[in-house]
Amino acid sequence: MISDAIWQPLRLSLQVTALATLLLFLAGLVLGVLLARVRFPGRIIVETVVLLPLVLPPSVVGYYLLVGLGRGSPIKDWLGLDILFTWQAAALASALVGLPLMVQATRAAIAGVNPSLESAARTLGSSEMGVFFRVTLPLARRGVLVGLVLGAARAMGEFGATLMVAGSIPGRTQTLPLAIYDAVLVQDYALANQLVLLVTSLAFLGLWWVRRQEENGKPRRRPEPRKEPEP
Amino acid sequence: MNGLSHPQLRADIVVRRDDFHLKMAVEVASQVLVVFGPSGSGKTTLLQAIAGLVTPQTGTITLEGQTLFQREEDGPQVDLPARARRVGYVFQDYALFPHLTALGNVAYPLWRKPDAHRRSLDLLERLGLAPFVGRYPHELSGGQQQRVAIARALASSPRVLLLDEPFAALDLELRRQLRGELRRLLAETAIPVLLVTHDREEAIALGDVVQVIEEGRTIARGEPLAVLGYPPQSSVARLSGVENLYRGRVISRADQEGVMVCRVAGVDLEAPLGEQAVGQEVAIGLRSRDVLLATQQPHGLSARNVLEARVTALEAHSPGVLVEVTSGDLTVRSQVTQQAVTELGLSVDKPVWVIIKASSFFFVAP
């Protein structure tokens, strides 16, 4: 049987990662398309801001969120969303830190789709939405998935920003990385060992899957049209 | 032929880009119009403007009386999006969707139509692609890809079909084979076709009317063999290369020997056996580099055509000299080196012998 000491943070981590992944997917897709296909002033600034969480200390990202979600912020006062120190806040923090990986991969995958295929779809009667969902996205799906898995893996490992906006409340906001820190603090090394092995296995599985996708993707270069005699 | 039928597609547009200015007018009736011009002359841009993929600065495009695009100094502005134009566009690289099978590609424009599957299968079958419906584009040969692209364009029930260099992705042998097939196919579809190419043989083989453009401007228009066979304008001749093209009639066939005699401009020429019957008209081509010249009557040659002729013109044509000779009413252009001109002492009015192997002739139109 899995003890509560393992099960509770695992369940919370899965819950937080699931919501974070959904947020990553939506925000990453919109930003990826915007950066790959639309030329607008300030594009490079937007791209840089999206990349910032990759290099900022997590405590800085956490601080921005704390201010953005706390008293006096539009999200709390106007929308009435009070999510500080809940698992939803942990998901938001995790998503933000995973976003750069998702956006970079998505942008590259979408930029790699031959624009004449999209033009062809338009002449065949597709609306812009139809072009995106029937041509662009299916052709970019490998890159989008890789970005999503990398982003999700990064989100699952989030520690610093989560601690700042959600705390480390056992059973409510204490995810696997936070539980490991707690276990070490109270010198429960048996528990710490188990949790560390669990996190390492999950991260390994994610990265292994990404590498396998990239290997499979290699021979998919566009082959020259075969030149055979016709019947 | 031109002007007898009411034009279905009319485009009169100006497209300006940084380094490029296209001003062009085309009219397509129920026929195949070939726009012929060198690379970079704006042929693809013309098609893209008609399809709605490029926006002209000014001009008008109408199809079956409907205005697709209009932008003038004053007056109403119209710019129908590409998806609403019902213009079939076959891209130069075919632009087949790599993630869909042949069937999936053809069914693409029929999305959410109840009989999409059956109609796509019918179209693929009509184009002789029934065995390949489940293959992905990269599993098809170039010729098969071309036909899938045409089937996909036809599946969108277009009112006009645009073809951008349909053979550019194929090698020379395959081009000659597939030309006849495409010609039959275009005749069957019974919708107006606008095809652009820089290949003269292709223009003659596929076009009912040809329009020659250079630097975005029309410099000649008319029946293909008349415009491109012996171009009266030197500019057209320069654009179209130096092949010899003739219209003649089959005089006799020697099926067992694999040759037939065609009378061209009063001269009987032996050519390889074609499908044409005796008395039928043929259009035949001959590359200028396949024509030999001699200053004395040759003996003991295997070549089947040896004609007495006279030099009428010499023209520098890199990497050598283009010699024009006439035998009776027949004019032949021969490409020789500068050295040969000097050694043979070729000059205007000099009597020469023209030597052509029967197998050097090729049939242009099916």
Side-chain angles (χ1 to χ4, degrees):
Chain A
M1 272 313 286
I2 308 174
S3 70
D4 264 7
I6 292 177
W7 173 241
Q8 271 190 355
L10 175 62
R11 182 180 57 81
L12 262 171
S13 264
L14 292 176
Q15 202 174 322
V16 164
T17 307
L19 180 58
T21 306
L22 181 69
L23 295 174
L24 267 180
F25 181 69
L26 297 176
L29 217 50
V30 171
L31 284 166
V33 172
L34 209 63
L35 294 174
R37 283 281 190 257
V38 187
R39 301 213 136 265
F40 57 92
R43 191 169 56 96
I44 295 178
I45 292 176
V46 171
E47 201 170 349
T48 309
V49 169
V50 170
L51 284 178
L52 266 183
L54 208 57
V55 291
L56 281 178
S59 55
V60 173
V61 177
Y63 187 80
Y64 279 125
L65 274 176
L66 208 53
V67 172
L69 296 173
R71 205 177 298 280
S73 77
I75 291 174
K76 182 172 160 99
D77 289 3
W78 299 351
L79 295 178
L81 268 179
D82 190 5
I83 61 170
L84 274 183
F85 301 101
T86 64
W87 70 272
Q88 287 94 334
L92 192 61
S94 307
L96 207 56
V97 174
L99 195 61
L101 296 169
M102 169 68 180
V103 170
Q104 284 299 81
T106 304
R107 190 192 56 119
I110 286 172
V113 174
N114 181 356
S116 80
L117 297 177
E118 293 168 339
S119 293
R122 285 183 196 110
T123 68
L124 294 168
S126 270
S127 63
E128 289 307 305
M129 286 294 262
V131 173
F132 182 73
F133 284 108
R134 297 178 63 203
V135 177
T136 315
L137 192 56
L139 287 173
R141 70 186 184 286
R142 196 181 291 267
V144 172
L145 267 181
V146 163
L148 196 60
V149 171
L150 282 178
R154 178 70 190 84
M156 181 172 249
E158 223 303 300
F159 178 84
T162 310
L163 189 62
M164 298 216 20
V165 295
S168 179
I169 310 163
R172 284 187 49 208
T173 64
Q174 195 180 69
T175 56
L176 285 170
L178 294 162
I180 292 168
Y181 182 72
D182 248 25
V184 173
L185 269 191
V186 301
Q187 299 192 351
D188 185 349
Y189 288 108
L191 179 62
N193 280 342
Q194 286 175 312
L195 292 173
V196 163
L197 275 176
L198 187 61
V199 170
T200 309
S201 317
L202 288 174
F204 179 88
L205 277 177
L207 283 182
W208 169 80
W209 183 86
V210 166
R211 280 300 300 137
R212 217 185 52 156
Q213 288 302 305
E214 285 170 353
E215 281 303 311
N216 292 349
K218 267 181 196 161
R220 278 183 69 97
R221 66 192 156 73
R222 275 174 71 94
E224 292 291 303
R226 263 192 262 160
K227 286 163 181 170
E228 307 162 346
E230 296 293 302
Chain B
M1 172 176 309
N2 173 27
L4 288 182
S5 35
H6 182 69
Q8 309 272 319
L9 171 72
R10 224 189 261 268
D12 187 349
I13 51 164
V14 175
V15 182
R16 223 169 289 145
R17 286 198 198 145
D18 306 339
D19 53 339
F20 178 79
H21 183 92
L22 173 75
K23 182 183 185 313
M24 192 135 90
V26 290
E27 278 185 7
V28 191
S30 53
Q31 31 137 282
V32 179
L33 172 69
V34 171
V35 170
F36 172 85
S39 333
S41 56
K43 303 187 298 288
T44 298
T45 308
L46 170 72
L47 296 190
Q48 287 176 333
I50 294 171
L53 301 172
V54 153
T55 310
Q57 262 65 41
T58 59
T60 311
I61 303 170
T62 57
L63 179 57
E64 290 181 346
Q66 184 198 16
T67 305
L68 302 184
F69 177 85
Q70 187 161 40
R71 187 185 281 172
E72 306 292 350
E73 300 282 294
D74 46 317
Q77 314 270 308
V78 180
D79 187 6
L80 227 55
R83 65 169 186 277
R85 293 195 178 191
R86 283 185 49 215
V87 165
Y89 194 155
V90 178
F91 287 68
Q92 188 170 336
D93 61 356
Y94 309 137
L96 294 178
F97 303 127
H99 61 299
L100 299 177
T101 60
L103 184 65
N105 267 280
V106 176
Y108 186 95
L110 300 170
W111 202 42
R112 288 187 173 161
K113 298 248 165 68
D115 52 352
H117 187 78
R118 193 188 49 73
R119 275 171 67 186
S120 314
L121 276 178
D122 281 355
L123 263 169
L124 283 162
E125 215 160 285
R126 242 180 67 200
L127 272 79
L129 290 163
F132 311 110
V133 292
R135 294 225 189 139
Y136 286 90
H138 71 270
E139 298 168 327
L140 297 169
S141 71
Q144 289 160 356
Q145 290 184 22
Q146 184 200 56
R147 273 177 287 162
V148 172
I150 293 172
R152 184 179 67 176
L154 291 177
S156 65
S157 318
R159 299 176 289 182
V160 62
L161 192 60
L162 311 177
L163 296 151
D164 190 356
E165 301 271 3
F167 297 100
L170 308 176
D171 60 31
L172 189 66
E173 274 316 297
L174 203 52
R175 281 182 205 188
R176 292 219 173 119
Q177 281 177 31
L178 293 184
R179 250 179 352 221
E181 248 176 64
L182 182 62
R183 164 111 206 151
R184 276 188 291 276
L185 187 69
L186 295 182
E188 268 174 36
T189 57
I191 54 171
V193 175
L194 172 53
L195 183 151
V196 304
T197 182
H198 69 275
D199 182 310
R200 185 162 71 138
E201 272 180 48
E202 216 167 286
I204 292 171
L206 295 170
D208 295 318
V209 178
V210 67
Q211 184 166 339
V212 182
I213 62 164
E214 186 182 28
E215 283 167 4
R217 277 153 227 281
T218 301
I219 55 175
R221 184 185 160 106
E223 198 261 329
L225 208 56
V227 173
L228 296 173
Y230 267 102
Q233 291 151 284
S234 62
S235 53
V236 179
R238 184 164 41 72
L239 286 180
S240 60
V242 291
E243 311 296 324
N244 297 292
L245 289 160
Y246 306 107
R247 194 190 285 288
R249 199 170 285 283
V250 179
I251 298 297
S252 66
R253 293 168 58 96
D255 289 62
Q256 278 165 1
E257 288 154 50
V259 293
M260 62 188 196
V261 176
C262 304
R263 183 162 296 164
V264 176
V267 177
D268 287 354
L269 298 171
E270 228 172 85
L273 197 64
E275 289 166 6
Q276 299 85 348
V278 171
Q280 212 177 332
E281 206 171 69
V282 287
I284 52 181
L286 171 67
R287 287 179 197 286
S288 56
R289 59 160 193 266
D290 290 342
V291 179
L292 302 183
L293 298 178
T295 46
Q296 290 165 359
Q297 181 167 18
H299 295 285
L301 271 186
S302 65
R304 302 298 300 168
N305 300 291
V306 178
L307 310 170
E308 221 176 332
R310 192 170 287 278
V311 176
T312 47
L314 292 146
E315 187 192 326
H317 187 93
S318 180
V321 178
L322 197 62
V323 183
E324 194 181 275
V325 302
T326 53
S327 176
D329 287 332
L330 181 74
T331 305
V332 182
R333 285 170 178 151
S334 171
Q335 172 88 25
V336 298
T337 61
Q338 181 60 52
Q339 216 178 346
V341 172
T342 315
E343 279 175 19
L344 296 182
L346 293 179
S347 59
V348 172
D349 264 353
K350 185 174 174 77
V352 289
W353 296 85
V354 178
I355 303 147
I356 308 161
K357 290 175 65 157
S359 60
S360 294
F361 289 107
F362 55 89
F363 298 105
V364 177

